[in-house]
């Protein structure tokens, strides 16, 4: 750290006053220069800064200038110049060097964050140290704590001298309790109620969940964000001249609570009289007008104005005008409270991209980033392609930051260079854990994945699940650019073992082994088409907790649903049941399509997700067709409220006169399907065991309305939602089925209820309390069993 020149000059003056004999020397020719007091500073640093060398003429003025220059280095506590005949003697006292910086008692901040803050004021390992710097460090630490509402934080600095003129610094912090917001007021509002405005803020006086949301902990950054939210609220509702006059933060004498007051002036409400274009639009005014979202007659909306100017700038960019400027100037008619928006355009000059540079990718190969770019070197600058390219790189998931900078090429007025700066993040993960759900009970999981193997952009993953009912081991490898055109290839091998969810359904076991290869073909920027082929082998083991007897000329096994016994051709008496068709080989071919433009995969508020898949059994004993389609749509009703709908349709049938494989059936019931009913319990059931058999057709509809959790403010990681579910799975009517049974099987089931969603450290957690609205009651006379209802359900990882 360098001392300011004024400080150095004053220090030099004080030194001169303290040592007048050194300055009273008559001018002479320097024969030699001798240094005294150096410990860690290199002599060459002093000689270079001194500005005097052997053979030069020495005078008082040159000596004063030399002292100032040495002080300005910031390396010395004291500097003196003396003479010994014609020898110039430079005597220095070095400032100690910081060997280590440590913190004790810090809980609110990570030590690395505090070290960065002190580094910015010049205190870090290897830098010179003095008492003034320690005082500044203490003030900086207190400032950091004030930003977290910890006004009573105390900092004590301990300096421990070491050999070689070094010191260790230890900052002992007593954080104290944070100041809580006692009240928040908005003064000057007339058009909107104070409670309406306060609901916009992330900071408040705190509810019963304040311990989790920390919404009642004051922070300047949060207050600034709340002010922008308030300003945006008014500007989007016609209040063009809205302003925040002042913000008052009143701290209590004990510094444990504070009151926030925002003084505002709303101004008059303005409507849009019209929009006028001025400037150079290259004769494309009609094209630009289609981008205008500001509507005459509607209240002035600042967001629409900003969106329009951005759309104009981006559209200029598509023609190569990287430095186009569009300025929105309001012409205000105060007499009628009308405003005309004048959009003035200055396109500047057209440029093309000379070179694409990539930085920050220490591990990821350049080609992984370059292949995502749609803006090519040597082509005209295109703002849309650059934004698309940046988003594609960001969606890779390998980087915490992706920034694209535009720089002019020196000596050229029509060329620019693009620099892509990325900040890499770890892309490998090792997962060891346990989970619990209301259906699977305790399950252990293990997973090891690497999303960017050797920096190539390839994915490799191993997953193991030891659920009580669904055990899985799976190995997957994906090459996203199997071809240069962006066709992906995914290889997968797996082994699964499935048992019935409920003991009443028996204890049979269905195991499957197989592998598949799938190719993803990008169609445009949002759509992907998938083509795949696989090989599967199914092995069936009948249950042992029932008996196998002859009833009315046919075998009935009470430990396994009859449909499974029929499909796998099982005969015999328990426990010696023999199944001649217990091993089945299948070759499924798949065709799929997906489009996802949601704003978030975990907590979406806008956008939609669509998926469709067709699976056909070919070239084996398994000849079938199975198709399903899913549609999700999210509507952001406001900052707090989101409406979501989800629909799923499925259809399957056997081909070539074969029997449809029962293990390929659709299932419904439970979280992620129709809440209020036990997992996978809806649809056709076995007449003897009551076990769920699933069906070849599926129709499910869900609707959710989510709100902030009471007391959680606008925290989107913890939400309360209400829902309505409806649907069922269906199968063909059998010969033995009565009309009453057929009607009961095909009735739509429905439920409604309340739930909580939380992005927990273990993953997305969803809890639901559902009340079945349309369900089947027991009808013993007609041989109809009651639906298995379950009002409270929870699971980690459910997406809808």
């Amino acid at each position: 750290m360098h001392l300011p020149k004024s400080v150095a000059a004053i220090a030099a003056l004080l030194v001169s006053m303290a040592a007048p004999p050194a300055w009273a020397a008559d001018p002479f020719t320097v024969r030699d220069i001798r240094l005294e007091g150096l410990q860690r500073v290199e002599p060459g640093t002093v000689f270079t800064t001194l500005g005097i060398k052997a053979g030069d003429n020495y005078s008082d003025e040159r000596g004063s200038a030399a002292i100032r220059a040495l002080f300005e280095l910031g390396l010395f506590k004291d500097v003196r110049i003396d003479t010994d005949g014609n020898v110039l003697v430079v005597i220095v006292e070095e400032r100690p060097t910081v060997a280590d910086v440590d913190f004790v008692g810090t809980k609110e901040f990570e030590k690395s964050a505090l070290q960065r803050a002190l580094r910015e004021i010049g205190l870090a390992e290897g830098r010179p140290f003095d008492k003034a710097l320690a005082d500044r460090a203490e003030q900086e630490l207190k400032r950091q704590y004030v930003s977290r509402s910890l006004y009573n934080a105390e900092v004590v600095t301990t300096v421990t001298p070491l050999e070689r003129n070094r010191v260790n610094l230890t900052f002992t912090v007593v954080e104290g309790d944070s100041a809580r917001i006692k009240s928040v007021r908005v003064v000057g509002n007339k058009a909107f109620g104070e409670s309406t405005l306060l609901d916009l803020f992330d900071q408040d006086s705190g509810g019963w969940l304040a311990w989790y949301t920390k919404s009642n902990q004051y922070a300047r950054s949060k207050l600034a964000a709340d002010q922008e939210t308030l300003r945006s609220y008014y500007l989007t509702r016609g209040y063009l001249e809205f302003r925040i006059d002042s913000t008052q933060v009143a701290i209590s004498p004990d510094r444990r609570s504070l009151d926030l007051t925002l003084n505002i002036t709303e101004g008059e409400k303005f409507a849009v009289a019209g929009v006028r274009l001025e400037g150079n639009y290259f004769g494309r005014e009609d094209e630009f007008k289609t981008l205008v979202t500001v509507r005459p007659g509607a209240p002035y909306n600042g967001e629409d104005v900003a969106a329009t100017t951005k759309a104009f700038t981006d559209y200029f960019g598509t023609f190569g005008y990287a430095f186009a400027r569009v300025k929105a100037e309001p012409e205000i008619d105060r007499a009628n409270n009308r405003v005309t928006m004048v959009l003035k355009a200055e396109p500047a000059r057209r440029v093309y991209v000379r070179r694409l540079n990539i930085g920050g990718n220490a591990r990821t190969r350049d080609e992984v980033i370059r292949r995502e770019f749609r803006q090519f070197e040597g082509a005209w600058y295109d703002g849309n392609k650059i934004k698309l390219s940046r988003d594609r790189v960001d969606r890779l998931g390998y980087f915490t930051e992706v920034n694209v900078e535009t720089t002019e090429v020196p000596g050229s007025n029509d060329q620019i260079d693009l620099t892509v700066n990325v900040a890499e993040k770890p892309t490998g993960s090792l997962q060891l854990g346990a989970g619990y759900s209301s259906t699977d009970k305790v399950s252990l999981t293990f997973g090891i994945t690497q999303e960017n193997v050797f920096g190539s952009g390839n994915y490799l993953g191993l997953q193991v699940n030891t659920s009580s009912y669904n055990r899985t081991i799976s190995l997957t490898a994906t090459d996203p650019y199997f071809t240069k055109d962006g066709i992906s290839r995914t290889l997968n091998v797996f082994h699964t073992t499935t048992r019935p969810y409920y003991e009443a359904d028996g204890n049979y076991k269905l195991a499957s082994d197989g592998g598949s290869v799938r190719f993803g073909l990008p169609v445009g920027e949002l759509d992907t088409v998938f083509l795949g082929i696989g090989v599967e082998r199914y092995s069936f083991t009948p249950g042992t907790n029932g008996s196998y007897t002859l009833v009315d000329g046919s075998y009935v096994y009470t430990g396994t649903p009859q449909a499974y016994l029929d499909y796998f051709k099982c005969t015999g008496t328990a426990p010696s049941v023999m199944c001649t068709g217990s091993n089945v080989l299948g070759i499924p071919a798949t065709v799929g399509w997906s489009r996802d433009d949601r704003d978030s995969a975990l907590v979406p508020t806008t956008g939609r997700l669509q998926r469709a898949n067709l699976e056909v059994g070919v070239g084996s004993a398994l000849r079938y067709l199975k198709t399903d389609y899913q549609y999700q749509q999210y509507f952001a009703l406001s900052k707090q409220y989101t409406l979501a709908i989800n629909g799923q349709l499925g259809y399957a049938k056997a081909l070539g006169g074969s029997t449809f494989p029962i293990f390929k059936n659709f299932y419904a019931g439970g979280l992620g399907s129709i809440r209020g009913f036990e997992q996978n319990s809806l649809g056709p059931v076995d007449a003897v065991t009551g076990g769920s058999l699933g069906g070849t057709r599926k129709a499910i509809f869900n609707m959710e309305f989510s709100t902030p959790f009471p007391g959680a403010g606008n925290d989107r990681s913890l939400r309360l939602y209400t829902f309505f579910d409806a649907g069922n799975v269906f199968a063909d009517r059998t010969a033995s089925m009565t009309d009453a049974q057929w009607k009961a099987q095909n009735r739509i089931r429905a439920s409604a209820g309340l739930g909580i969603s939380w992005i927990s450290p273990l993953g997305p957690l969803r809890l639901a309390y559902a009340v079945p609205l349309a369900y089947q009651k027991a009808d013993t006379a007609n041989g109809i069993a009651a639906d298995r209802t379950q009002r409270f359900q929870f699971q980690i990882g459910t997406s809808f």
Side-chain angles (χ1 to χ4, degrees):
M1 176 182 175
H2 299 298
L3 291 172
K5 292 185 177 181
S6 59
V7 176
I10 295 172
L13 179 60
L14 293 175
V15 169
S16 67
M17 294 173 63
W23 295 98
D26 294 329
F28 63 91
T29 301
V30 178
R31 180 173 58 85
D32 193 14
I33 300 175
R34 188 169 72 241
L35 304 180
E36 295 182 1
L38 289 182
Q39 298 185 54
R40 298 177 59 83
V41 178
E42 293 292 332
T45 302
V46 177
F47 285 128
T48 301
T49 308
L50 194 62
I52 303 173
K53 61 182 182 298
D56 289 349
N57 289 326
Y58 174 80
S59 65
D60 289 345
E61 291 77 12
R62 296 194 70 177
S64 177
I67 289 177
R68 285 196 300 269
L70 290 174
F71 266 115
E72 288 177 356
L73 289 175
L75 301 175
F76 305 111
K77 293 172 59 178
D78 189 22
V79 178
R80 292 184 293 117
I81 292 181
D82 204 350
T83 59
D84 183 6
N86 290 341
V87 176
L88 197 66
V89 182
V90 181
I91 305 168
V92 298
E93 182 181 353
E94 292 184 7
R95 293 169 59 190
T97 301
V98 177
D100 183 49
V101 179
D102 195 14
F103 303 90
V104 176
T106 55
K107 300 176 182 178
E108 186 71 18
F109 293 95
E110 295 288 339
K111 291 184 178 181
S112 59
L114 296 178
Q115 288 172 341
R116 284 194 300 270
L118 296 188
R119 190 178 297 115
E120 292 179 358
I121 66 169
L123 195 155
E125 295 180 13
R127 301 240 185 130
F129 169 78
D130 62 15
K131 183 63 170 62
L133 191 57
D135 293 340
R136 289 185 60 193
E138 288 186 9
Q139 294 304 314
E140 175 60 24
L141 290 177
K142 289 181 180 179
R143 190 186 70 81
Q144 294 289 328
Y145 277 97
V146 166
S147 69
R148 299 284 182 91
S149 301
L150 292 162
Y151 292 95
N152 293 315
E154 298 180 1
V155 181
V156 177
T157 306
T158 302
V159 182
T160 306
L162 302 175
E163 71 280 357
R164 297 177 59 212
N165 198 29
R166 298 177 302 151
V167 296
N168 280 345
L169 297 180
T170 302
F171 295 95
T172 302
V173 181
V174 178
E175 295 182 338
D177 295 328
S178 61
R180 306 297 181 180
I181 298 175
K182 183 179 178 182
S183 67
V184 183
R185 293 288 314 279
V186 177
V187 178
N189 56 299
K190 298 176 182 178
F192 305 102
E194 186 179 28
S195 61
T196 299
L197 300 179
L198 293 180
D199 284 342
L200 303 173
F201 293 1
D202 285 332
Q203 293 190 126
D204 53 36
S205 56
W208 65 279
L209 269 180
W211 60 271
Y212 170 74
T213 64
K214 298 184 178 180
S215 62
N216 63 342
Q217 291 189 14
Y218 170 75
R220 279 195 292 264
S221 58
K222 288 184 178 181
L223 178 59
D226 286 339
Q227 290 182 71
E228 289 305 312
T229 300
L230 181 63
R231 183 176 289 107
S232 175
Y233 186 81
Y234 273 93
L235 291 178
T236 56
R237 287 161 174 79
Y239 294 87
L240 174 63
E241 298 179 312
F242 169 83
R243 68 177 185 270
I244 299 176
D245 299 313
S246 65
T247 303
Q248 300 170 354
V249 182
I251 306 175
S252 64
D254 62 1
R255 305 174 73 86
R256 294 182 179 275
S257 64
L258 51 85
D259 298 292
L260 301 180
T261 303
L262 282 74
N263 298 287
I264 67 173
T265 298
E266 293 180 333
E268 297 295 327
K269 185 174 182 178
F270 290 87
V272 177
V275 179
R276 189 170 72 249
L277 274 58
E278 292 184 1
N280 186 4
Y281 288 92
F282 308 116
R284 298 175 178 268
E285 284 80 1
D286 291 341
E287 297 177 21
F288 278 91
K289 287 178 181 178
T290 62
L291 303 175
V292 176
T293 57
V294 180
R295 300 299 176 216
Y300 171 85
N301 189 319
E303 289 184 357
D304 288 344
V305 174
T308 299
T309 56
K310 184 179 184 304
F312 277 28
T313 303
D314 292 344
Y315 198 52
F316 274 117
T318 63
F319 301 115
Y321 295 90
F323 304 106
R325 290 187 299 174
V326 180
K327 187 177 181 181
E329 296 184 353
E331 290 184 355
I332 301 176
D333 177 6
R334 301 188 187 282
N336 300 303
N337 285 356
R338 309 274 285 179
V339 58
T340 299
M341 296 308 305
V342 181
L343 301 174
K344 296 183 178 180
E346 297 179 15
R349 62 191 184 278
R350 192 180 189 192
V351 297
Y352 66 89
V353 177
R354 183 189 70 163
R355 183 178 300 144
L356 174 62
N357 303 311
I358 299 174
N361 55 321
R363 184 169 182 274
T364 305
R365 302 173 190 173
D366 277 9
E367 65 171 325
V368 174
I369 297 174
R370 287 183 179 275
R371 67 194 184 189
E372 300 298 330
F373 256 71
R374 299 300 180 258
Q375 170 69 63
F376 301 115
E377 295 174 332
W380 289 113
Y381 175 97
D382 190 324
N384 285 345
K385 290 182 178 179
I386 292 174
K387 180 181 182 302
L388 172 63
S389 302
R390 185 259 169 218
D391 291 344
R392 288 178 62 90
V393 174
D394 196 18
R395 283 197 295 264
L396 290 174
Y398 308 155
F399 313 108
T400 57
E401 294 181 11
V402 179
N403 298 307
V404 180
E405 298 178 356
T406 302
T407 56
E408 299 183 56
V409 176
S412 173
N413 63 358
D414 65 349
Q415 296 182 76
I416 63 167
D417 288 338
L418 294 179
T419 301
V420 184
N421 293 306
V422 299
E424 293 184 313
K425 71 176 184 180
T427 55
S429 64
L430 177 64
Q431 301 170 344
L432 295 171
Y436 187 87
S437 74
S438 52
T439 55
D440 272 354
K441 308 304 180 185
V442 177
S443 63
L444 301 177
T445 59
F446 167 81
I448 181 170
T449 62
Q450 176 52 256
E451 298 177 2
N452 188 14
V453 179
F454 306 120
S456 65
N458 293 349
Y459 170 89
L460 181 65
L462 172 67
Q463 298 294 330
V464 178
N465 187 305
T466 65
S467 161
S468 302
Y469 305 105
N470 292 286
R471 299 190 175 186
T472 302
I473 179 170
S474 174
L475 179 64
T476 304
T478 299
D479 183 351
Y481 275 81
F482 180 64
T483 70
K484 293 183 178 180
D485 297 328
I487 296 176
S488 65
R489 182 196 64 187
T490 299
L491 301 174
N492 173 251
V493 292
F494 64 89
H495 169 78
T496 65
T497 301
T498 303
R499 299 178 183 273
Y501 277 101
Y502 308 103
E503 184 177 351
D505 298 350
N507 66 343
Y508 61 89
K509 180 177 71 175
L510 179 66
S512 62
D513 306 274
S516 66
V517 57
R518 186 179 68 165
F519 297 94
L521 288 71
V523 182
E525 296 298 338
L526 295 177
D527 302 275
T528 303
V529 173
F530 299 96
L531 302 173
I533 190 76
V535 177
E536 302 172 345
R537 182 181 67 87
Y538 292 89
S539 176
F540 178 72
T541 303
T544 59
N545 62 346
S547 59
Y548 194 85
T549 58
L550 186 65
V551 178
D552 297 331
S554 62
Y555 286 99
V556 173
Y557 186 70
T558 59
T560 304
Q562 187 65 35
Y564 280 88
L565 297 172
D566 292 340
Y567 184 83
F568 290 105
K569 302 181 176 66
C570 300
T571 58
T573 303
S576 300
V577 179
M578 303 298 295
C579 301
T580 59
S582 61
N583 288 281
V584 182
L585 181 68
I587 303 178
T590 58
V591 178
W593 165 78
S594 71
R595 166 178 280 202
D596 187 358
D597 62 2
R598 297 174 298 172
D599 60 345
S600 169
L602 286 178
V603 191
T605 59
T606 61
R608 65 175 63 89
L609 166 67
Q610 295 183 78
R611 287 190 289 225
N613 190 68
L614 171 65
E615 180 180 323
V616 181
V618 297
S620 69
L622 295 180
R623 303 295 302 277
Y624 64 93
L625 176 148
K626 182 178 182 181
T627 181
D628 60 87
Y629 171 74
Q630 180 180 19
Y631 178 93
Q632 284 184 7
Q633 178 80 54
Y634 294 85
F635 306 91
L637 303 181
S638 69
K639 183 179 179 180
Q640 293 87 9
Y641 306 112
T642 302
L643 177 66
I645 60 173
N646 176 72
Q648 299 179 57
L649 297 174
Y651 174 77
K653 71 172 185 176
L655 298 177
S658 63
T659 301
F660 185 81
I662 189 172
F663 43 81
K664 292 286 185 178
N665 276 347
F666 297 107
Y667 289 87
L671 281 170
S673 177
I674 304 173
R675 286 156 285 199
F677 298 88
E678 291 187 355
Q679 197 75 26
N680 293 345
S681 66
L682 293 180
V685 297
D686 181 71
V688 176
T689 68
S692 301
L693 301 177
T696 55
R697 295 180 297 279
K698 175 178 70 172
I700 293 175
F701 172 79
N702 312 100
M703 181 171 63
E704 285 187 5
F705 176 73
S706 64
T707 70
F709 195 85
N714 293 324
D715 183 7
R716 299 204 64 84
S717 68
L718 181 63
R719 306 280 287 173
L720 179 70
Y721 63 88
T722 61
F723 63 86
F724 172 78
D725 297 340
N728 206 346
V729 293
F730 314 94
D732 295 332
R733 181 173 182 174
T734 62
S736 61
M737 188 176 293
T738 64
D739 289 341
Q741 292 171 339
W742 173 244
K743 291 179 180 179
Q745 174 181 295
N746 284 278
R747 288 195 187 99
I748 296 294
R749 274 42 170 186
S751 64
L754 294 171
I756 299 173
S757 64
W758 176 36
I759 307 301
S760 74
L762 298 178
L765 171 66
R766 291 173 71 85
L767 300 92
Y769 181 83
V771 177
L773 301 178
Y775 59 97
Q776 178 61 51
K777 297 180 179 180
D779 185 352
T780 307
N782 290 301
I784 300 172
D787 287 338
R788 294 169 171 172
T789 59
Q790 188 179 62
R791 298 203 169 194
F792 177 76
Q793 296 171 319
F794 72 94
Q795 191 165 347
I796 295 178
T798 302
S799 60
F800 195 92

